[in-house]
Amino acid sequence: MSNILASLTNAGNALDVFEQALSVVQNNVNNSSTPGYATQTLNLVAEPLVVTGGLTGGVASQGLQDSRDDYVEEQVQQQTSTLGLYTAQAQATGTIQSFFDVTGTGGVPTALNNLLSAFSAWSASPTDPTAEQTVLSSAQSVATSINGLANSLSSTSQQLDTQISSTVSQINSIAAQIQQYNQQELKSPTPDPGAEANLYAALDNLSQLTNFSTVKQADGTITVMLGGGDPLVIGTQVNDLSASDAVATNPPPTYPNSPPSAVITDSQGNDVTSQITSGQLGGLLDTRNRVLGSLLGNAQQQGTLNQFAQTLADTVNQILESGTVSTTAGAAAGTALFTYDTTNATNVAASLALNPAITPSELAPVDSSGNANGNAQQLADLGNAGNTAGNINGMNLVQFLAQMASDIGQENQTATTNQNTQQQIVAQATTLRNQVSGVSLDAQATDVLQFQRAYQASAQVLTVINDMLDTTINMMTVTT
Amino acid sequence: MQPTAHRHLERARSGIRQALSGWDAADLPQVQSSCQLLTAAASDLRLFESAVRAGEVPATAELCSSILAVKKEVIEATRVVDACVAFHRGLAARTGGAPPVYNAEGCIAEESAGLESEVHA
């Protein structure tokens, strides 16, 4: 009789276990589109059967097993983070690029060309009041357009600061979600597929924003560290980040009054900016501090726009002040055409202005040797190739301005190309994650090797193609 | 440019594009199909290179620009494929299976020689 009861009990227990297994399968189906969800399987084990010893056999569950693989997750997160970097760079540099008019129909290049043309016309008629007036109005336009460019770049800098703050808030919010997961994990260590799905969806979202690494602790909690190792979440502790602006003091600043750079600090006040090298935040910081810093200046550099504005003003002023307003003996010396903030080398472009004290008759076309249009001619020549006056890094003013526009164009083009390629790489990594998810990796070892060989074959052919293209290009260069 | 040589370059470019657009890292036949397209592109480029070497193709700025455009697409394809290679290298190590043996160029040693001769044939 007891054997029959034992059998019935076993059958009942087995039904319970298989019902659990069915629930797990149903849960997998229901969550097939849930972000971060990975297929679960219920581990079934046979209970020992010893008829004489009272062990009645049967089947029991031994908990859920997750099909998620940490390596694969990390790969997708890293690639997503890189995509975030390129996307942010492409958007931000696209905005900056739009301020550099390369069509020649507006902006600083046109204003500069008009000024050089005005100098040229003035050199032909050095005593013509209309030509003198045109020089002043063209100089005013140059100053205004340079101010406008500097202001547009400063506004972009502020907009990037806002985006940086917003991104930091999103990171802190995700860190808080991970903290909640950890709290739950400590309270109830039983695996919860729903909570795991939320965790991994949160980590996927975090990877779009910044670079990080994770470590699963023995107590089931997840530790999240920024790229450089600074902890973001440890157990139930969150190390909130914050964004601010500051002039870097290490190394000591060459330009202490320069525009501040964006700085990210942790809750202890440690500067962790250098640890954020990827993700949307990495892209925003790179454009804000490196790209805009190179144009507007920062603690260590004057900025190419300020360099351009100062060289233009100094060169024009020096030429004018070295001459006289007419060839008459005892004629008055020339007056400076431009003024700017001489106390701050990183504020030249924003403060450049037409000298408010100058009048048309105070322009000095006569050079120090007494040539009636010597100065005006020197000014007109500033944009000519081969002219050395007003050169910056071996380029004349027009070339330097074109180089600035070209550099930012190159930044944008590189970021956009990288973004397009990275989109494909992320798509591939996600596809591979889906392929791997739900299968035993050990059973897939042979397939993995087959894929590896197929990829490698393609990589090899691409290397050969690349070498052939290099050879062909070299042959072309030799021929031309 | 000689029309035939031009056709080889264009066909190579088209093959590389098709290989990249059809690339599906999780589909082995598709990966192999992309590889075949790349091999055909390599053969076309070999013919183009021979024509240039023989002086049959006048070097022009337009031609240089076309070659650089192909090179740009090759670099893009290489990055995508390299990412997949890196992914599976890690996965191979993760599964604990016998990992492929790589030579100094980072290629699977046993296959490099054969593939090289196939491409150059």
Side-chain angles (χ1 to χ4, degrees), chain A residues 163-385:
Chain A
Q163 289 181 44
I164 287 168
S165 293
S166 162
T167 308
V168 164
S169 298
Q170 290 177 58
I171 290 172
N172 289 338
S173 165
I174 293 172
Q177 290 173 32
I178 297 168
Q179 176 201 34
Q180 281 173 11
Y181 169 86
N182 284 348
Q183 281 171 343
Q184 189 60 36
E185 196 65 22
L186 290 173
K187 272 189 208 158
S188 161
T190 313
D192 175 354
E196 290 256 321
N198 287 339
L199 169 70
Y200 280 91
L203 290 174
D204 275 357
N205 290 337
L206 185 61
S207 70
Q208 291 170 25
L209 305 178
T210 185
N211 51 315
F212 65 93
S213 57
T214 58
V215 178
K216 183 123 185 168
Q217 303 294 350
D219 59 8
T221 61
I222 291 276
T223 298
V224 181
M225 290 165 292
L226 291 174
D230 203 62
L232 187 62
V233 184
I234 297 185
T236 56
Q237 300 292 312
V238 174
N239 191 9
D240 272 336
L241 301 180
S242 54
S244 58
D245 279 353
V247 175
T249 53
N250 188 20
T254 309
Y255 301 98
N257 298 321
S258 66
S261 297
V263 177
I264 306 297
T265 46
D266 66 12
S267 57
Q268 316 292 317
N270 300 315
D271 184 345
V272 295
T273 316
S274 63
Q275 297 188 25
I276 300 160
T277 55
S278 198
Q280 182 178 308
L281 186 57
L284 291 170
L285 285 170
D286 177 70
T287 310
R288 166 71 175 78
N289 292 345
R290 184 181 61 83
V291 180
L292 279 176
S294 75
L295 292 165
L296 288 174
N298 55 29
Q300 298 304 327
Q301 57 187 328
Q302 183 183 10
T304 49
L305 184 59
N306 293 306
Q307 213 179 348
F308 167 77
Q310 184 169 354
T311 305
L312 171 68
D314 287 351
T315 308
V316 170
N317 289 347
Q318 194 179 9
I319 291 172
L320 288 172
E321 287 173 332
S322 70
T324 51
V325 297
S326 75
T327 50
T328 313
T335 304
L337 185 60
F338 293 109
T339 62
Y340 60 83
D341 176 4
T342 54
T343 63
N344 181 359
T346 58
N347 190 39
V348 179
S351 61
L352 186 72
L354 178 70
N355 183 357
I358 195 169
T359 60
S361 61
E362 288 173 320
L363 284 169
V366 184
D367 67 14
S368 54
S369 306
N371 296 319
N373 68 347
N375 270 358
Q377 191 59 53
Q378 275 188 63
L379 291 168
D381 288 344
L382 285 178
N384 290 350

Side-chain angles (χ1 to χ4, degrees), chain B:
Chain B
M1 195 194 309
Q2 290 275 327
T4 315
H6 179 78
R7 211 165 42 238
H8 286 310
L9 184 63
E10 281 307 309
R11 213 160 55 188
R13 185 177 186 177
S14 165
I16 293 162
R17 270 188 193 164
Q18 282 181 49
L20 186 57
S21 65
W23 181 267
D24 182 346
D27 184 341
L28 191 57
Q30 196 61 51
V31 171
Q32 286 163 340
S33 164
S34 288
C35 187
Q36 282 166 4
L37 285 166
L38 289 173
T39 308
S43 301
D44 271 316
L45 276 178
R46 170 69 64 211
L47 293 169
F48 176 72
E49 186 195 337
S50 302
V52 172
R53 199 180 292 278
E56 295 166 9
V57 183
T60 61
E62 185 198 354
L63 180 59
C64 284
S65 150
S66 297
I67 298 170
L68 288 173
V70 178
K71 189 172 165 63
K72 196 178 160 192
E73 290 185 29
V74 169
I75 289 169
E76 191 180 339
T78 304
R79 286 176 62 178
V80 173
V81 173
D82 279 353
C84 293
V85 171
F87 182 96
H88 265 70
R89 259 184 208 175
L91 204 57
R94 182 89 178 81
T95 58
V101 179
Y102 295 96
N103 62 20
E105 284 76 42
C107 303
I108 297 177
E110 69 208 57
E111 293 179 350
S112 299
L115 190 66
E116 187 84 14
S117 58
E118 188 184 323
V119 169
H120 284 274

Side-chain angles (χ1 to χ4, degrees), chain A residues 71 418 428 452-453 455 460, chain B residues 25 63 79 87 102 107 110:
Chain A
Y71 166 76
N418 284 340
Q428 297 296 330
Q452 182 74 349
R453 286 188 166 138
Y455 296 157
Q460 179 81 0
Chain B
L63 180 59
R79 286 176 62 178
F87 182 96
Y102 295 96
C107 303
E110 69 208 57

